[in-house]
Amino acid sequence: MFAYMICSTIMGGENPKKEKARLRKGITILVCTPGRFLYHLQNTENIGLSRLQYMIIDEADRMLDMGFEREMDACLSLIKRRCGSKFTSEPGTFYSDSIKINFISATLSSKVQALGAKLMKSFKSVGFVDK
């Protein structure tokens, strides 16, 4: 059996109609900005999230510094609503036993720690330790 891996990006500045067409066809790996992903979660009906297994939030500290906290929370809430069986029912959290969440940040500010606490119940911190 031959498996195809389809990668795509969606971000502001692109034509949303072209992005919708790519999303409807199916994407294995999606790299996106929070604002544009939120747009598609709210306006593109045929985004298939039933096979969602991995969620990687990279540069979380920078996204929060740039003011995308509300968009990130809204995206996570919509994903949880669409894939409810994969998440716990605990309000205000996005814990999942079946979705692997990778949360990547260069710094551990209070905002980053608060968002991480919503995403992960038990986690491993990997990085450098100052002595």
Side-chain angles (χ1 to χ4, degrees), residues 41-86:
L41 285 171
Q42 293 171 333
N43 299 297
T44 304
E45 293 180 23
N46 296 335
I47 295 178
L49 298 174
S50 62
R51 295 183 183 169
L52 181 64
Q53 294 180 20
Y54 295 94
M55 224 164 60
I56 301 169
I57 299 176
D58 192 11
E59 297 289 347
D61 53 340
R62 294 293 302 136
M63 284 192 274
L64 293 172
D65 288 345
M66 294 170 60
F68 287 110
E69 184 172 3
R70 191 175 62 218
E71 287 86 351
M72 289 173 67
D73 275 345
C75 286
L76 293 167
S77 293
L78 287 167
I79 292 169
K80 185 175 180 177
R81 192 176 317 147
R82 288 188 180 188
C83 305
S85 63
K86 294 185 177 195

Side-chain angles (χ1 to χ4, degrees), residues 17-33:
K17 288 183 181 181
K18 289 181 181 179
E19 292 173 341
K20 283 182 183 184
R22 291 195 310 258
L23 288 168
R24 287 184 181 133
K25 287 180 183 176
I27 295 172
T28 311
I29 298 174
L30 175 64
V31 178
C32 57
T33 57

